[in-house]
Amino acid sequence: MVNTEKTGYKWEVLALLWVAFLFNQADRQVFNIVLPLLREDLGLTDVGVGAIATLFNLVYALFVPIAGYVGDRYSKKWIVVASILFWSAATLSTGFATGLVMLILLRSIATGGGEAFFGPPNYSLLAQYHTKTRAFAMSIHQTSYYLGIILSGLAASYIAERWGWRYSFYIFGLLGLIHGIVMIFRLKDKPVEANNAVSQEKMPSLLDGFKIVFGTPTALILTIGFSCLIFGLTGYLTWMPTYLYENFSLSLSQAGFHSMVYTHVFAFIGVILAGKLSDKLAVKDKRYRILLQSMGLLLACPFIILMGNAQSLTWIYIGFAGFGFMRAFFDANTYSVLYDVVPARYHSSASGVMIMTGFFIGSFSPVVLGYIKPIFGLSMGFSFLAGVWIFGAIVLWVAYRFYMKRDLAKVETC
């Protein structure tokens, strides 16, 4: 029996969710890494593979607000566990796909739907265990995103080149299933204190998450900024390995490694620094969190343009590094900002709405770049992503300047 009252248990919760999120991102990125081999083996077009990624994100967006709703009403532990078991089984099954239809069913629908139920209860559970250390814990948690993508870039390409692309899905899916079983026995819901318990009649409805996000200016603007972030990241993650593979004659393993490692190593460094800085600045003024996000998106844009247009691999890798480091200032603050302006009982529901909106908008990025690729080239597509992030930086600054102070005061009176 796990004693959740132990001071150190909150760090075990972080560790369990950290590993789960690592597999979440690794399983998601495996498809992008093995895409050239999969496309050739199954005879798919650029638009076809872009559509698979787009449908994945649309399905994810469709189910994630439902995940937020059930996460505020039922056991977060069991929703998280069921999610990792389901998406891992779907990832493993993707290795048996024989064509576009099966990929859509197993990858876009099953894997996307399974992963949708992880995010909202995962972040809400982590926030329950970490209050004063919230931004730092969220930053540590975010490092698993970066390592998951690096791991998949290294391992999936290595496996695919030696045993075939199917084995990449088999192995990552199996490892996720094993960790899901471990979480059954080790992960526990945070006990609810009697004086903080929410009565049944006050439990959030499915529409409450939408009302709270779209009715709170800072939460709405954060959601727009998050959508810009996801649009850029989804396009980059889907097409950058292929860009290096086709334009610089790198092997599949080299393209998978170089397209992911520099970005996410520097993002790893950046998110730890940003989380510490955010918690320190928030003591003076919590609005600094969203200002850090705005600056991160804006300062990342020159590096996006560099990595998509430089003729030298060295300069492209420098672009990856700067892009990763600066975007980490957004990542470190996303849920801290949201939870600062949203009452605690709506945390999971609000997370679901924000994630839904971000991934719905971001889902169009792979197919847009797939359309741009044969006409203007991927360099033009990546430059377009920089423009999207500039817009996101501007709207976040508007929230910092005009809305967040009022929204913070409103939550304090709830």
Side-chain angles (χ1 to χ4, degrees), residues 117-172:
F117 281 84
F118 176 75
N122 158 68
Y123 288 112
S124 183
L125 185 59
L126 186 60
Q128 285 181 347
Y129 276 100
H130 291 267
T131 52
K132 295 181 180 179
T133 55
R134 182 169 295 169
F136 180 65
M138 292 288 184
S139 297
I140 295 293
H141 182 269
Q142 184 67 18
T143 63
S144 64
Y145 168 94
Y146 310 137
L147 289 181
I149 291 175
I150 293 172
L151 174 65
S152 63
L154 290 169
S157 57
Y158 179 90
I159 294 166
E161 287 188 326
R162 282 154 183 79
W163 300 299
W165 63 268
R166 298 180 187 277
Y167 280 86
S168 297
F169 290 103
Y170 298 154
I171 292 173
F172 277 93

Side-chain angles (χ1 to χ4, degrees), residues 8 76 83 97 111 118 125 141 144 157 170 192 242 248 259 292 296 370:
K76 294 176 176 61
S83 175
T111 307
F118 176 75
L125 185 59
H141 182 269
S144 64
S157 57
Y170 298 154
V192 179
T242 300
F248 293 92
S259 64
L292 288 173

Side-chain angles (χ1 to χ4, degrees), residues 313-336:
L313 280 172
T314 299
W315 282 107
I316 289 176
Y317 299 158
I318 291 172
F320 290 161
F323 162 68
F325 184 81
M326 297 315 308
R327 61 70 67 96
F329 283 80
F330 189 102
D331 292 340
N333 291 286
T334 303
Y335 294 94
S336 294

Side-chain angles (χ1 to χ4, degrees), residues 15-329:
L16 290 167
L17 296 177
W18 188 95
V19 176
F21 195 37
L22 182 144
F23 283 119
N24 177 275
Q25 295 304 311
D27 287 6
R28 189 177 301 182
Q29 186 62 12
V30 165
F31 176 82
N32 302 327
I33 296 299
V34 304
L35 190 153
L37 295 182
L38 181 151
R39 179 183 56 184
E40 181 179 354
D41 185 33
L42 301 183
L44 304 177
T45 65
D46 288 332
V47 174
V49 295
I52 294 169
T54 289
L55 287 171
F56 174 97
N57 287 290
L58 284 174
V59 170
Y60 185 94
L62 177 66
F63 283 102
V64 79
I66 300 174
Y69 166 71
V70 298
D72 277 332
R73 297 179 67 89
Y74 304 108
S75 168
K76 294 176 176 61
K77 174 254 181 86
W78 286 110
I79 297 169
V80 166
V81 168
S83 175
I84 187 173
L85 291 174
F86 189 88
W87 94 59
S88 296
T91 296
L92 189 152
S93 300
T94 303
F96 297 100
T98 57
L100 180 62
V101 174
M102 284 191 69
L103 281 171
I104 290 174
L105 291 174
L106 293 171
R107 180 70 186 171
S108 302
I109 298 177
T111 307
E115 290 191 7
F117 281 84
F118 176 75
N122 158 68
Y123 288 112
S124 183
L125 185 59
L126 186 60
Q128 285 181 347
Y129 276 100
H130 291 267
T131 52
K132 295 181 180 179
T133 55
R134 182 169 295 169
F136 180 65
M138 292 288 184
S139 297
I140 295 293
H141 182 269
Q142 184 67 18
T143 63
S144 64
Y145 168 94
Y146 310 137
L147 289 181
I149 291 175
I150 293 172
L151 174 65
S152 63
L154 290 169
S157 57
Y158 179 90
I159 294 166
E161 287 188 326
R162 282 154 183 79
W163 300 299
W165 63 268
R166 298 180 187 277
Y167 280 86
S168 297
F169 290 103
Y170 298 154
I171 292 173
F172 277 93
L174 178 61
L175 292 174
L177 287 171
I178 293 171
H179 183 63
I181 294 171
V182 171
M183 292 177 73
I184 290 175
F185 298 99
R186 295 304 306 173
L187 185 64
K188 300 296 178 182
D189 284 306
K190 178 74 183 295
V192 179
E193 297 178 8
N195 59 344
N196 288 330
V198 181
S199 61
Q200 184 65 35
E201 64 269 19
K202 293 182 179 179
M203 293 290 281
S205 71
L206 183 59
L207 293 179
D208 282 340
F210 290 89
K211 291 177 181 178
I212 198 72
V213 170
F214 290 101
T216 306
T218 302
L220 176 59
I221 291 174
L222 176 66
T223 299
I224 295 171
F226 181 74
S227 300
C228 293
L229 176 86
I230 297 301
F231 190 94
L233 292 180
T234 305
Y236 158 76
L237 292 171
T238 302
W239 286 110
M240 187 54 73
T242 300
Y243 177 72
L244 295 183
Y245 179 78
E246 293 181 346
N247 291 64
F248 293 92
S249 300
L250 299 183
S251 67
L252 182 65
S253 58
Q254 289 174 328
F257 173 79
H258 290 292
S259 64
M260 298 298 141
V261 69
Y262 306 108
T263 296
H264 295 97
V265 165
F266 278 84
F268 186 108
I269 297 170
V271 80
I272 298 299
L273 295 174
K276 281 288 190 181
L277 179 61
S278 176
D279 279 339
K280 185 176 181 179
L281 293 175
V283 174
K284 300 177 181 178
D285 189 340
K286 290 182 179 180
R287 295 185 303 154
Y288 285 131
R289 295 193 196 276
I290 204 167
L291 183 60
L292 288 173
Q293 290 185 295
S294 176
M295 292 173 57
L297 288 188
L298 184 63
L299 294 177
C301 290
F303 294 103
I304 296 176
I305 295 172
L306 178 63
M307 72 188 191
N309 292 273
Q311 301 302 309
S312 164
L313 280 172
T314 299
W315 282 107
I316 289 176
Y317 299 158
I318 291 172
F320 290 161
F323 162 68
F325 184 81
M326 297 315 308
R327 61 70 67 96
F329 283 80

